Amino acid sequence: RFYTFGSRSLSLSTSHTYDTPLRQTREVCEDHVKFLSVMLEKEESAFTWVRGEPNAVGSVIEYYYAHDGDCPSTVREELTERRFEAGLVRISWLNVGSTPSLPLRNYRATWEMVAAVGPNNGELTKAKFSRSFDDVLALGVIPIGWVLRNSYLGTTRDILAKVFVRYFAEAHPKRLPADKRARIAVVGAGPSGLHMGFQLWKRGYKNLVFLEKTDRYGGKTLSVEDATVAAYAADGELPPPYDAPIVHELGTCYLSPAYYAVRALFSELVDVYGAPDDTFDTTRPDSYTIRTDGQTDKTFDDWVISLSQVTQDSCDLCAPMKLRWPELSYDVQIFEAKQKYNKLHEKYFGTYSYTMPPPLSIATARELDMSFQQWLVKNDLTVL
């Protein structure tokens, strides 16, 4: 059972600028059903106006929704604002109920787009997606709003990009040349460039040119053999404890079960090119099983919780809590460790917004000259 936590409200938002003028991007919001169908990746037939006129302020729309294995719900939302002005578009909606009930009170969302000017007076759109809701208490005592907020924080920016990319890919296919023989340049032969070329090739565009500044393809997906160990191997011996050459993977080297789209793409490439279908060791798509010497198999969650219980100091005031509520105890430890990790990250890199971290100073690089495991132990973050 969940209770509203006073009047405290939690909010989050993200914004991004797109190189498309507002007079075009406003199309995304003109029909609310179309907008939600793109955002939630559902057919338009899944949405029903149950009160008021379509797209009118005060009207209520209903749809069925399940996210990442969550309990499916029938959601009802009231359209509370629709502003379409020369330099501004804003739509807002309020959750007015769900079946079964969700742990949300006063959940509100706002989608706002403002006309902006870029380099050389180019027309741009600055989009902002905001959400807010009241904090709640589980069992009347435990605030869990931060859990919901962190969950939403991970999807807010993704939703922002998805609406623009998916909508304009579907609504404006004419952006691709009509002539399938047209010469198309792809900048970069890394994974993204190669994927773009593959998508164009599937659509019939075969006259492709890849512009790559290096002498190879693959970008950061690269395996580099350790030079020091390789020198020993060339002489017919390896320094202990190595019994084989050491390879450093600079790019992706494994996929978690959540990478459904990448796995599907891999299967598609196997079918197209006849590549051997044994590149990945596969597991069940929704679970891990961990086997430790002398112990029975554990689920991934049980394994992590058990580690959190044995990696803490022996003199631990929270020990009774760990024994009685191990899952809750683990959540608290992880939350505290994440807070500490984020503070250390900011100490090393400073603050930056939606980009790669800035280069480390020489002094900081020397401070971090150790393995990740050593760093975790040094900073009492082994629960991570």
Side-chain angles (χ1 to χ4, degrees):
R1 182 177 298 275
F2 299 92
Y3 299 90
T4 301
F5 183 42
S7 59
R8 179 188 177 193
S9 179
L10 302 178
S11 62
L12 63 155
S13 66
T14 190
S15 60
H16 192 70
T17 301
Y18 296 90
D19 59 350
T20 307
L22 182 63
R23 52 188 163 79
Q24 289 183 342
T25 55
R26 65 190 300 134
E27 296 176 17
V28 180
C29 305
E30 288 177 347
D31 183 83
H32 197 59
V33 168
K34 174 68 175 177
F35 172 77
L36 290 178
S37 72
V38 174
M39 175 184 287
L40 302 176
E41 298 183 290
K42 300 177 70 69
E43 297 294 330
E44 293 185 34
S45 59
F47 302 88
T48 305
W49 292 101
V50 296
R51 189 183 76 191
E53 295 295 322
N55 297 314
V57 173
S59 297
V60 174
I61 196 169
E62 182 179 275
Y63 59 91
Y64 181 79
Y65 184 62
H67 175 67
D68 288 348
D70 292 344
C71 178
S73 299
T74 299
V75 179
R76 290 174 295 280
E77 295 175 342
E78 178 182 346
L79 197 56
T80 58
E81 181 182 20
R82 279 178 62 85
R83 291 181 60 184
F84 286 79
E85 301 174 0
L88 171 69
V89 172
R90 182 189 297 136
I91 55 173
S92 302
W93 58 96
L94 167 70
N95 182 292
V96 293
S98 57
T99 307
S101 180
L102 296 174
L104 289 174
R105 299 292 182 271
N106 292 323
Y107 173 85
R108 299 175 181 273
T110 297
W111 182 277
E112 181 180 275
M113 299 188 299
V114 179
V117 178
N120 302 319
N121 295 320
E123 294 183 81
L124 307 175
T125 296
K126 184 176 182 180
K128 181 179 181 181
F129 182 38
S130 307
R131 294 188 275 188
S132 65
F133 53 90
D134 290 345
D135 200 355
V136 290
L137 290 177
L139 305 177
V141 293
I142 306 171
I144 64 166
W146 62 269
V147 178
L148 297 172
R149 184 182 183 278
N150 287 351
S151 174
Y152 284 139
L153 192 62
T155 61
T156 301
R157 185 170 175 82
D158 177 60
I159 288 174
L160 190 68
K162 182 194 306 178
V163 169
F164 276 89
V165 174
R166 184 175 175 213
Y167 176 81
F168 283 104
E170 293 180 353
H172 298 280
K174 60 180 179 293
R175 291 189 170 199
L176 290 174
D179 185 1
K180 300 289 186 180
R181 298 168 300 177
R183 193 166 185 242
I184 300 177
V186 178
V187 180
S192 296
L194 294 175
H195 180 64
M196 174 62 73
F198 179 60
Q199 295 299 320
L200 290 168
W201 179 83
K202 286 199 303 182
R203 288 160 175 76
Y205 297 95
K206 305 297 177 65
N207 191 6
L208 305 176
V209 177
F210 291 84
L211 305 178
E212 169 58 46
K213 67 178 181 179
T214 70
D215 59 355
R216 60 177 182 82
Y217 56 84
K220 292 181 180 178
T221 299
L222 178 65
S223 302
V224 178
E225 190 170 287
D226 189 284
T228 303
V229 178
Y232 279 94
D235 294 333
E237 61 181 34
L238 289 171
Y242 306 114
D243 56 4
I246 303 301
V247 175
H248 302 286
E249 299 291 353
L250 302 190
T252 300
C253 54
Y254 70 92
L255 300 176
S256 75
Y259 283 72
Y260 297 106
V262 177
R263 291 177 180 272
L265 175 62
F266 172 70
S267 298
E268 182 180 0
L269 292 172
V270 167
D271 293 338
V272 171
Y273 295 110
D277 193 6
D278 60 358
T279 303
F280 295 129
D281 292 327
T282 58
T283 64
R284 291 179 56 196
D286 291 312
S287 66
Y288 295 94
T289 299
I290 308 298
R291 172 169 293 176
T292 306
D293 289 343
Q295 299 183 21
T296 57
D297 292 357
K298 292 185 175 76
T299 66
F300 183 70
D301 287 349
D302 290 340
W303 178 69
V304 171
I305 290 172
S306 68
L307 284 183
S308 75
Q309 293 173 315
V310 300
T311 56
Q312 301 303 304
D313 295 335
S314 57
C315 181
D316 188 349
L317 297 179
C318 296
M321 177 181 173
K322 293 179 185 178
L323 295 174
R324 181 63 181 86
W325 299 290
E327 292 85 359
L328 177 59
S329 168
Y330 169 67
D331 287 342
V332 172
Q333 293 174 65
I334 280 289
F335 176 69
E336 292 177 345
K338 286 169 65 177
Q339 296 289 88
K340 184 175 181 180
Y341 180 95
N342 290 340
K343 290 179 180 178
L344 288 169
H345 184 93
E346 185 174 348
K347 168 190 170 184
Y348 298 142
F349 295 102
T351 57
Y352 55 95
S353 178
Y354 300 119
T355 183
M356 292 293 288
L360 291 169
S361 67
I362 297 298
T364 302
R366 287 173 176 160
E367 183 180 345
L368 295 176
D369 188 13
M370 65 187 75
S371 72
F372 186 52
Q373 179 69 26
Q374 291 170 326
W375 183 86
L376 291 175
V377 171
K378 175 184 176 183
N379 290 283
D380 194 24
L381 293 173
T382 50
V383 71
L384 294 180

